[in-house]
Amino acid sequence: MTDQNPLVVFTPSGKRGRFPVGTPILTAARQLGVDLDSVCGGRGICSKCQITPGVGEFPKHGVTVAADALSEWNAVEERYDQKRGLKPGRRLGCQATVQSDVVIDVPPESQVHKQVVRKAASARAIVMDPATRLFFVEVDEPDMHTPTGDFERLERALREQWEVDGLRADLTLLTKLQKALRKGDWKVTVALHRDHQASKSTIIDIWPGLHEAGLYGLAIDLGSTTVAAHLTDLETGEVKASSGIMNPQIRFGEDLMSRVSYAMMNPGGEVEMTRAVREALNTLAEEIAKEAGIDAALIVETVFVCNPVMHHLLLGIDPVELGQAPFALATSESLSLGARELELTAINPRAQVYVLPCIAGHVGADAAAVALSEEPGKSEDLALIVDVGTNAEILLGDKTRVLACSSPTGPAFEGAQISSGQRAAPGAIEAIRIDPETKEPRFRVIGCEKWSDEDGFWDETAATGITGICGSGIIEAVAEMRIAGLLDPKGLIGSAAQTGTDRCVPEGRTHAYLIHDASAEGGPRITVTQGDIRAIQLAKSALYAGARLLMDERGVEKVDRVVLAGAFGAHISPLHAMVLGMIPDVPLDKVTSAGNAAGTGARIALCNVGARKEIERVVREITKVETAIEPKFQEHFVNANAIPHATDPFPELGKITTLPDVSFNTGGDDGAEGGRRRRRRRA
Ligand code: FES
């Protein structure tokens, strides 16, 4: 068989084929469909095509590789090695040619579609396939005898060298074109954006010669309270910097409906809110680019996920229709726009924006992003995914069907509308335990690993002090009060006489539980008041009722697992969430946290253009359930007001904890009697 062409085996793909002696490895890779990167098209200048040839015996592949299986190190590689340095054992795939049987390893950094593993627990790899990529081209020089425009010759070069068709460029690009071509001696790099819906490619930017400073994108989770952005390298998928700012629209209203009201009551109010958020986005883009040390003009793509009201206000659409039934969106489809249309002036002027589709008038692109990231439609078991925020986005589904709704939980879970509430910041109580015997609390604050009853706690927290309770802290506090018998199922806090602790102090006609009192030193007095309990009850009832509504629609009484998503969801203790009755009863080990799933979904759509098609398909198939007009929602809401629940059994919770059977509903008198009376009636 000596007359056969040499065999080339690629790892890790295992793809193999025979090629004539002298075939460049890059050419062999392309013919076999092996994922080997190249920006310069084999000209030996981009170094993206690096490979590692093996030598010796490869029994697995049935190949023996000779030391001279590839052509000798050539002048191009020599020059590249001297200028930049090639790692030992590496060759340039476009320069090394096949001489005899060979095994070639393609290292991860040379793969176009490299996988980037997410950090979240349910680590799902993102396959890199961004919409915008770099292409190096050599363009013919102009010729007086066959006159053509520079753009037309660039178009031809891209078609011939990279098989790019349907090329477009806007006027601002044309104004740069001629200088770039001449400065680069007719060799240029272009950043091309492929539209995943139409077969067109748009030139986003052009640079003389080989552009080596990379391309970047922003994945933005535009929330009602905060705006979070991840600056991502579009070649490697690496997050270069993450940053967040407060949504300046807060000054027009804390929650979504108050912003819709602001637009209704104030002519031009929506324009003001649009302007505010766009300004904030420009500030955020500038800051994040600065933090990462990159030129903001290299940000060529931005992906947005947001709830419907934020979606409309970002786009400059009046959100008033979203404030009233039938909650019609201007469009629920995904949007591909130019950054200029959104006045995003801090990034590349020709940058492209992709906004994920909305699911319904109350269920936005943020929920779509959670669906993209958590993939309930691929789940074998029935998963309930809850993205906890000012509005809770809820998804319920498995392989057969996915349903979605949103529920107005309000800002209580974020520490707002809570008497001692505050945002998650150093000094905020984030975890708390109450001794069921002594009723004494111990707690942990953000910024210190120790519990308050451990040595060194007070020294370590002296700088920040104990300033308040954040969202996860208030959930734990209320649940612990219920476990310790300080709070009855209806949500009433007992008096000192009823509970046997002086920490239950009178507060008007009700009671409050005192966690920490620094008032003697001029510090805060941190309590959980009856009003706080009510605010948490309203929020958790809305969340649970939304989940129940989806379960009704699906015809089930229980779910197999619960995923808590959202930055806040990551910090909620599953046990306490269940004691509170925020989530349906499941075994505790079936409650997991997905971190900022909406932000991850945005990053997936930024890094992989195919994911955009995927989520557009998935969203079309999701069953939308509208909570606001569903009479059953009210019934579920009322029943969910009790802690954990008035009617639904919580058998899994019962296996791990027994909640005291107390009642503090005294009808105004002292209460201890009332508690006993109540218990007798129930028995
Ligand atoms: Fe660019 Fe080989 S393909 S250096």
Side-chain angles (χ1 to χ4, degrees):
M1 303 293 275
T2 46
D3 55 340
Q4 259 195 343
N5 284 331
L7 178 68
V8 182
V9 180
F10 285 95
T11 59
S13 67
K15 289 184 176 160
R16 51 168 58 207
R18 294 192 176 273
F19 294 90
V21 169
T23 306
I25 294 299
L26 179 64
T27 308
R30 284 194 170 161
Q31 287 185 13
L32 291 174
V34 170
D35 188 10
L36 178 58
D37 202 358
S38 159
V39 166
C40 74
R43 292 174 182 80
I45 51 174
C46 73
S47 85
K48 300 283 183 196
C49 62
Q50 292 184 31
I51 46 128
T52 311
V55 178
E57 297 289 335
F58 290 86
K60 185 173 160 214
H61 303 299
V63 181
T64 303
V65 182
D68 57 357
L70 291 183
S71 56
E72 281 187 10
W73 189 250
N74 74 9
V76 173
E77 290 172 298
E78 187 63 46
R79 196 177 59 231
Y80 187 85
D81 191 30
Q82 279 171 5
K83 272 175 68 181
R84 303 279 173 81
L86 269 175
K87 280 190 191 161
R90 289 276 175 89
R91 300 283 308 264
L92 293 181
C94 62
Q95 302 301 313
T97 62
V98 181
Q99 302 300 316
S100 59
D101 291 356
V102 67
V103 174
I104 300 287
D105 185 56
V106 181
E109 61 269 31
S110 300
Q111 295 170 13
V112 186
H113 305 297
K114 39 189 136 322
Q115 294 206 334
V116 185
V117 176
R118 280 175 42 192
K119 289 201 192 98
S122 57
R124 169 185 159 191
I126 303 175
V127 176
M128 290 306 294
D129 188 14
T132 307
R133 288 185 49 201
L134 292 170
F135 296 87
F136 177 85
V137 268
E138 286 181 55
V139 180
D140 288 340
E141 292 187 30
D143 177 351
M144 265 198 302
H145 302 292
T146 50
T148 49
D150 283 349
F151 178 73
E152 286 69 36
R153 270 176 284 105
L154 171 64
E155 195 177 22
R156 189 170 70 211
L158 278 164
R159 188 167 49 243
E160 288 173 359
Q161 293 164 38
W162 292 103
E163 294 170 14
V164 171
D165 276 320
L167 192 67
R168 296 178 184 212
D170 76 1
L171 184 58
T172 64
L173 192 281
L174 290 180
T175 61
K176 298 180 76 177
L177 175 67
Q178 297 202 298
K179 277 202 185 89
L181 283 168
R182 283 153 187 84
K183 194 170 170 202
D185 196 19
W186 304 98
K187 297 180 192 67
V188 288
T189 308
V190 293
L192 272 190
H193 175 269
R194 283 175 295 156
D195 190 304
H196 68 289
Q197 287 173 325
S199 54
K200 61 170 188 179
S201 296
T202 308
I203 305 185
I204 306 294
D205 218 332
I206 184 164
W207 296 270
L210 183 69
H211 170 77
E212 294 184 279
L215 289 181
Y216 299 89
L218 284 174
I220 300 184
D221 181 2
L222 174 56
S224 334
T225 313
T226 54
V227 188
H230 302 292
L231 179 67
T232 308
D233 184 323
L234 289 181
E235 285 182 21
T236 63
E238 184 190 345
V239 176
K240 292 292 202 185
S242 294
S243 186
I245 50 170
M246 296 300 289
N247 187 332
Q249 293 174 340
I250 284 183
R251 68 173 183 267
F252 303 101
E254 280 251 332
D255 57 35
L256 295 175
M257 280 311 131
S258 51
R259 283 181 220 170
V260 175
S261 308
Y262 184 83
M264 284 174 168
M265 320 278 277
N266 301 278
E270 75 283 6
V271 181
E272 269 181 87
M273 289 190 275
T274 296
R275 194 182 309 127
V277 75
R278 289 179 178 177
E279 275 170 14
L281 288 167
N282 279 319
T283 308
L284 181 59
E286 271 166 22
E287 281 175 3
I288 200 168
K290 206 161 140 203
E291 190 188 325
I294 68 144
D295 178 359
L298 294 176
I299 300 174
V300 293
E301 286 228 47
T302 300
V303 168
F304 281 100
V305 302
C306 40
N307 61 54
V309 175
M310 289 301 108
H311 175 270
H312 277 38
L313 287 173
L314 168 70
L315 296 170
I317 301 170
D318 191 337
V320 17
E321 291 304 325
L322 301 174
Q324 57 206 16
F327 313 106
L329 288 152
T331 176
S332 58
E333 302 270 300
S334 69
L335 291 163
S336 297
L337 313 157
R340 262 184 309 216
E341 289 182 79
L342 299 183
E343 299 169 293
L344 301 181
T345 49
I347 60 178
N348 189 295
R350 288 165 297 278
Q352 297 291 303
V353 170
Y354 178 73
V355 186
L356 267 76
C358 288
I359 297 177
H362 271 162
V363 193
D366 44 1
V370 172
L372 182 58
S373 157
E374 290 306 307
E375 300 183 306
K378 291 186 181 163
S379 176
E380 294 288 343
D381 51 7
L382 189 61
L384 180 78
I385 302 163
V386 186
D387 192 344
V388 189
T390 318
N391 238 31
E393 263 79 40
I394 310 170
L395 295 159
L396 174 72
D398 60 12
K399 276 177 138 174
T400 58
R401 192 172 161 220
V402 178
L403 304 105
C405 73
S406 85
S407 203
T409 43
F413 287 150
E414 291 173 351
Q417 291 175 3
I418 299 296
S419 60
S420 295
Q422 70 158 89
R423 294 201 183 285
I429 295 177
E430 60 169 345
I432 180 165
R433 299 290 176 271
I434 300 173
D435 188 311
E437 296 301 320
T438 65
K439 322 287 185 200
E440 282 301 294
R442 59 194 185 96
F443 51 83
R444 233 180 36 215
V445 298
I446 296 177
C448 177
E449 290 296 305
K450 294 194 167 103
W451 285 87
S452 57
D453 57 349
E454 288 181 73
D455 283 347
F457 172 85
W458 297 101
D459 289 342
E460 285 182 31
T461 56
T464 57
I466 315 298
T467 49
I469 316 178
C470 69
S472 61
I474 190 73
I475 286 174
E476 292 201 4
V478 178
E480 284 286 321
M481 286 169 69
R482 179 74 188 87
I483 295 170
L486 304 172
L487 188 70
D488 73 8
K490 286 199 163 175
L492 282 173
I493 302 174
S495 64
Q498 287 166 322
T499 59
T501 172
D502 290 343
R503 284 189 177 268
C504 285
V505 293
E507 176 124 337
R509 298 178 56 185
T510 59
H511 297 97
Y513 177 70
L514 178 66
I515 295 176
H516 175 67
D517 189 358
S519 53
E521 304 96 61
R525 191 166 177 274
I526 298 170
T527 55
V528 178
T529 65
Q530 192 60 64
D532 298 340
I533 303 282
R534 289 284 173 249
I536 289 295
Q537 277 178 295
L538 291 180
K540 77 101 179 175
S541 305
L543 185 57
Y544 190 85
R548 273 306 311 216
L549 205 56
L550 294 188
M551 289 159 72
D552 285 355
E553 193 71 25
R554 181 67 197 251
V556 295
E557 283 298 312
K558 62 189 200 64
V559 300
D560 296 321
R561 62 188 176 97
V562 176
V563 180
L564 295 169
F568 168 58
H571 296 109
I572 301 176
S573 139
L575 170 68
H576 293 95
M578 211 176 291
V579 168
L580 209 56
M582 270 176 79
I583 52 175
D585 183 68
V586 289
L588 261 201
D589 61 351
K590 293 288 182 187
V591 185
T592 54
S593 158
N596 183 2
T600 304
R603 213 153 68 70
I604 294 172
L606 178 66
C607 293
N608 187 300
V609 71
R612 300 182 185 183
K613 273 195 173 155
E614 164 80 2
I615 194 57
E616 288 160 15
R617 182 189 62 75
V618 166
V619 162
R620 274 194 292 272
E621 290 170 2
I622 290 179
T623 308
K624 297 98 188 162
V625 177
E626 182 54 69
T627 51
I629 50 161
E630 183 56 60
K632 263 274 192 180
F633 181 82
Q634 198 53 32
E635 190 185 322
H636 286 315
F637 181 82
V638 171
N639 286 335
N641 202 37
I643 301 173
H645 199 275
T647 51
D648 287 358
F650 273 63
E652 294 295 340
L653 178 63
K655 287 180 194 165
I656 42 178
T657 184
T658 308
L659 300 177
D661 185 13
V662 290
S663 171
F664 305 126
N665 189 2
T666 61
D669 60 18
D670 130 87
E673 252 318 284
R676 282 201 292 276
R677 258 201 318 266
R678 176 75 183 211
R679 279 200 297 278
R680 269 201 302 275
R681 238 196 335 262
R682 242 195 261 153

